[in-house]
Structures are given as structure tokens and as C-alpha cells.
Amino acid sequence: MNKKMTSTHALKLKNSGVYPTAQRLAIADMLFDRHQHFTADSLQEALIFNGIKVSKATVYNTLKLFVEKGLVNELVIDSQKCFYDTNTSHHHHFYNIDTGELTDIESITPKMLESLSIPEGTTIDNIDLVVRLRNH
Amino acid sequence: MNKKMTSTHALKLKNSGVYPTAQRLAIADMLFDRHQHFTADSLQEALIFNGIKVSKATVYNTLKLFVEKGLVNELVIDSQKCFYDTNTSHHHHFYNIDTGELTDIESITPKMLESLSIPEGTTIDNIDLVVRLRNH
DNA sequence: TTTATAGTTAGACTTAGTCTAAATTTAAAC
DNA sequence: GTTTAAATTTAGACTAAGTCTAACTATAAA
């Protein structure tokens, strides 16, 4: 498993113009095998749990770099901490404020918004739509 | 101006089940005369600028209370700080990540999303749609 | 007036994230 | 292989937003 995966990830980094250092590869290995949501903190914990020691500064630097290069997306879901998503396709989110659970709403269209079907046992607290602009 | 306004705001607080203390009224006077976007910090600065001394704890407590009572809305626009909005009607936002400018998109319908007209001189960086759920 | 309750306060504390300057790694040149 | 230069990583100090606590103050009710 590891040999092949690692080289795949190394290639993925190189193709995005990211020099594949040991730490970046360790982080890529943690993230890119499946789509997932995580925070800087949860990522570092997972690394440490797997015996990989990476400093906080490197975790933050690497995430910033991966976001710049389009390898992960930044999610503004909570005002207190930043979430990341390895699913970089255009999609949206359910966020359960009681459980903290974050799940994808794949390929929503404006029409679907009208009759959005939500997970069982939950009610909508609010819907936030934020259009982030840049000056050009 | 002040006598009438103050009593209007006192009434507004009472109607929402908020006991109108001096500090809460001072905050209500700052906020409710017009719809506006603000942070806990900018609110406290504005109060101090107007010679009204209110502690940080009270600013946070009061905002939490006002949110609970539906007098202001909490906006998750930025992962670093919480924005508030005195416009509690259902609407969405443009957020200019270069200037920090936050403006309303009033009464957007799913259909309007398809052909959203954005402010001159800007491009869309991303659109985040978050559906916040509660367990019931 | 007293007493109980609610609200306010300063400042210590927490948490997420940034910054800095030194140490390490790597690539390239010799 | 060594040396050198550039990029990366690191620990830990620092910042900013927000929470907590325990003392103090104001208010309401008896």
C-alpha cells in the first residue's frame, strides 16, 4: 500500500507545484486517500497519533500552501476555527450545530434549494449564503 | 431625538423579554437606529468613542442575549471573528475579502442565484452555502 | 430597609492562529 | 564528497477573539 500511495501523493504535490518534503507527504498521506473534513488541530492530532511529529507552524504553513495550490478548500463554517475539505469540487454543506457533524451537499442547483431534503431527526437552524468577492 | 428613541428601544427590549439595563440600552441605541454589520470589538470601540464605558464581558453577554432573543443575527463570514447584523430578515451577503466590506443581498431567490449581479470592480472568489441543522 | 436576584466588571485564562529567529534539510555547484 | 545557498521546519513567544470567575453593583420585591 504505502510505496504506491506515497509516490501517487508525491506526484500530486509536484503537479501542483508543491515541493514534496517529508512533512508535506505525511500530511498528504493523511488527507488524500479519501475526502474528508478536518481542522488544523485535528490534523496535527492525527499525525501525532500515527507517530508523525510535525510542528504546529508546519501544519498551518502546509495547509495554507495546499489551499493556495487548490489541493484543499477552506470552509468558513464556524467563527472560531477554520475547517478544511479535501473535496475541492464545487459543493456545499450541512453543518449540525449540535453534533459538529459536517457533511457534503453535492452539486446543489438553485432549483434544489427550493426543496432541500435534510437529514432525518434534524431541523434547519439557518441557511447562510456568502458570496466572497475579490477586487480585480 | 433621544428621549423618544430611548424609550422605543427600551420597549423593543422589553417586548423581547430582555430587561433594559443602562448598558443594554446604550448598546441598543448604538445598533437599532439603522441596520448595520459589526463585531463585538467594533461595537465596544463605538461605545467607548461615544463616552459609554461598557466592559468586554458585558458586550459579549449582551450580544449573546440579543442573538438568543432574535434581536440581532450572528454571521459566520470569517473564521477569525464573529460578525453581527441588525437586519434580522432573511437575506444573504457579499463579503469583499480584500476590503472587508460586507453588504446585504436582499431577498435572493434560487432563480436569482443563477444570474447573480455582483458589484463593479469585483470577481467572485467563492460562494459558500451552509445549511445549519439542529437535532429536534 | 433588608434581602435576594440579576447584571456588570476587571482581569486571568483559553484557543486558534501568526511570527520570528535558529536549526535542519535539500539541491546545486564545485 | 564538500561547500554553499535556498527552502523548509521548528520551538516557543506572541496576538486576537472570546470565555470564565469571583467580587461588586444595581434593582426588585418583601
Side-chain angles (χ1 to χ4, degrees):
Chain A
M1 167 189 172
N2 289 318
K3 201 78 163 279
K4 181 151 168 285
M5 290 255 177
T6 301
S7 67
T8 302
H9 294 159
L11 201 59
K12 178 168 181 158
L13 295 188
K14 277 179 204 151
N15 288 341
S16 300
V18 173
Y19 187 86
T21 66
Q23 288 85 343
R24 288 171 186 169
L25 270 171
I27 290 174
D29 286 344
M30 289 292 315
L31 299 181
F32 296 137
D33 286 337
R34 60 201 173 297
H35 288 161
Q36 54 186 302
H37 303 118
F38 59 97
T39 64
D41 198 58
S42 72
L43 172 58
Q44 195 183 17
E45 272 176 18
L47 288 163
I48 285 166
F49 184 80
N50 283 268
I52 299 158
K53 193 178 148 291
V54 177
S55 71
K56 187 166 65 149
T58 296
V59 170
Y60 280 99
N61 288 342
T62 301
L63 287 175
K64 187 185 247 183
L65 185 65
F66 282 13
V67 168
E68 265 171 41
K69 300 301 187 180
L71 292 166
V72 306
N73 269 176
E74 220 177 291
L75 305 180
V76 181
I77 289 289
D78 186 291
S79 295
Q80 239 48 258
K81 72 171 74 169
C82 192
F83 283 79
Y84 295 89
D85 192 343
T86 50
N87 178 353
T88 55
S89 73
H90 191 255
H91 68 287
H92 299 290
H93 296 91
F94 284 127
Y95 182 58
N96 189 314
I97 58 179
D98 286 324
T99 64
E101 192 185 11
L102 185 59
T103 52
D104 288 352
I105 307 174
E106 291 292 350
S107 64
I108 199 171
T109 61
K111 199 174 283 299
M112 289 165 72
L113 239 189
E114 284 166 347
S115 57
L116 190 64
S117 81
I118 63 171
E120 189 140 357
T122 65
T123 44
I124 293 179
D125 184 80
N126 80 323
I127 300 182
D128 271 359
L129 175 68
V130 180
V131 179
R132 285 194 181 71
L133 306 170
R134 268 179 299 109
N135 292 335
H136 61 209
Chain B
M1 165 187 175
N2 289 318
K3 202 75 163 282
K4 181 150 167 288
M5 289 252 176
T6 300
S7 67
T8 303
H9 294 159
L11 200 61
K12 178 166 182 160
L13 295 188
K14 276 179 206 152
N15 287 342
S16 300
V18 173
Y19 187 86
T21 66
Q23 289 85 343
R24 289 170 184 171
L25 270 172
I27 291 174
D29 287 344
M30 288 293 315
L31 300 180
F32 296 137
D33 287 336
R34 61 201 173 296
H35 287 160
Q36 53 186 303
H37 303 117
F38 60 96
T39 65
D41 196 59
S42 73
L43 171 58
Q44 196 183 16
E45 273 177 17
L47 288 163
I48 286 168
F49 184 79
N50 283 268
I52 300 158
K53 196 178 145 294
V54 178
S55 72
K56 190 167 62 150
T58 296
V59 170
Y60 280 98
N61 288 342
T62 302
L63 287 176
K64 188 186 246 182
L65 185 64
F66 282 14
V67 168
E68 264 172 43
K69 300 301 186 180
L71 293 166
V72 304
N73 269 177
E74 221 177 291
L75 305 180
V76 181
I77 288 290
D78 186 292
S79 295
Q80 239 48 259
K81 71 170 75 171
C82 193
F83 284 78
Y84 295 90
D85 193 343
T86 50
N87 179 353
T88 55
S89 73
H90 191 255
H91 68 288
H92 299 290
H93 296 91
F94 284 126
Y95 182 59
N96 188 315
I97 57 180
D98 286 324
T99 63
E101 192 184 11
L102 186 58
T103 52
D104 288 353
I105 306 173
E106 290 293 351
S107 64
I108 198 171
T109 62
K111 200 173 282 298
M112 289 165 71
L113 239 190
E114 284 166 347
S115 57
L116 189 65
S117 80
I118 63 171
E120 189 140 357
T122 65
T123 44
I124 293 178
D125 184 78
N126 81 324
I127 299 181
D128 271 0
L129 175 69
V130 179
V131 180
R132 286 196 179 68
L133 307 170
R134 266 177 301 109
N135 292 336
H136 64 208

